[in-house]
């Protein structure tokens, strides 16, 4: 993992010790990714309150969607190899909003697994955070130079934002979305 690495063990079980050893000594490729955002400092967090009534004013702008300075972003994870993403294509999909395909190539020197996250950016008028996670997929184990194509099938809801004033969803045309 290298100097400065962080290993987060959420709810380790009975075999945690062996699992840690396998990753640290390179016998197993670390494939886990952070399920939370690790802020850079306490200032970048929501302050605790002891009040009996707390007003939640952050809306959707929490965690990775708040864009604070972070020490480790949501989905962060290290690998013993490296990967390149390329040839991203957005295309129509049967009974879906759209499909997004991306090629994943193992550009490193040892076998590994990559987790790809798909974020959508909506138009400014949607009044939602800049990027919203809509899916993630993991490749099978790729040998050096091997390539896999991952395809994300976006539902109608994935391409929509909630409009509180209308108490309903607004679907955005695919050409107004950025993946």
């Amino acid at each position: 993992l290298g100097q400065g690495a962080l290993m987060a063990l959420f709810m380790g079980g009975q075999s945690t010790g062996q699992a840690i050893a396998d990753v640290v000594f390179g016998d197993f490729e670390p494939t886990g990714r952070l399920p939370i955002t690790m802020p850079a400092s306490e200032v970048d967090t929501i302050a605790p309150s002891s009040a009996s009534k707390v007003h939640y004013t952050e809306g959707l702008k929490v965690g990775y969607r708040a864009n604070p300075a972070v020490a480790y972003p949501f989905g962060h994870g290290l690998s013993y190899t490296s990967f390149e993403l390329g040839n991203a294509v957005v295309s129509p999909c049967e009974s879906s909003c759209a499909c997004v395909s991306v090629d994943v190539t193992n550009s490193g020197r040892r076998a590994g697994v990559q987790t790809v996250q798909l974020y959508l950016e909506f138009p400014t008028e949607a009044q939602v955070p800049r990027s919203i996670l809509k899916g993630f997929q993991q490749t099978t184990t790729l040998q050096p130079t091997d390539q896999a194509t991952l395809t994300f099938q976006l539902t109608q809801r994935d391409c929509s934002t909630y409009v509180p004033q209308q108490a309903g969803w607004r679907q955005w045309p695919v050409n107004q979305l950025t993946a």
Side-chain angles (χ1 to χ4, degrees):
L1 293 173
Q3 187 177 16
L6 171 76
M7 185 178 290
L9 302 171
F10 295 99
M11 301 184 74
Q14 183 175 354
S15 297
T16 300
Q18 183 63 49
I20 292 170
D22 287 347
V23 170
V24 169
F25 291 108
D27 297 330
F28 184 81
E29 174 73 14
T31 58
R33 300 296 179 252
L34 277 178
I36 60 173
T37 297
M38 300 264 191
S41 72
E42 188 177 345
V43 173
D44 300 315
T45 64
I46 297 171
S49 175
S50 59
S52 60
K53 186 174 183 180
V54 177
H55 296 280
Y56 180 72
T57 59
E58 293 83 9
L60 293 175
K61 295 182 178 178
V62 294
Y64 76 91
R65 293 175 287 203
N67 296 324
V70 297
Y72 298 96
F74 175 86
H76 176 75
L78 298 177
S79 175
Y80 286 121
T81 192
S82 55
F83 296 91
E84 292 180 10
L85 303 179
N87 197 29
V89 176
V90 179
S91 60
C93 248
E94 189 175 317
S95 71
S96 292
C97 170
C99 281
V100 178
S101 298
V102 63
D103 292 337
V104 182
T105 304
N106 182 341
S107 57
R109 291 191 275 175
R110 62 181 280 176
V113 174
Q114 176 67 312
T115 302
V116 177
Q117 301 173 52
L118 175 68
Y119 291 86
L120 280 186
E121 292 184 12
F122 290 87
T124 306
E125 66 182 279
Q127 298 180 342
V128 295
R130 184 177 55 84
S131 294
I132 298 178
L133 179 68
K134 292 297 179 176
F136 57 90
Q137 290 187 35
Q138 198 170 65
T139 65
T140 57
T141 300
L142 297 176
Q143 298 300 319
T145 72
D146 281 359
Q147 179 177 297
T149 300
L150 298 179
T151 301
F152 296 85
Q153 191 169 350
L154 297 172
T155 66
Q156 304 298 333
R157 183 64 60 88
D158 288 331
C159 298
S160 302
T161 55
Y162 188 74
V163 182
Q165 300 82 353
Q166 298 173 356
W169 294 87
R170 175 183 177 183
Q171 184 173 341
W172 295 89
V174 176
N175 63 355
Q176 291 187 19
L177 304 174
T178 304

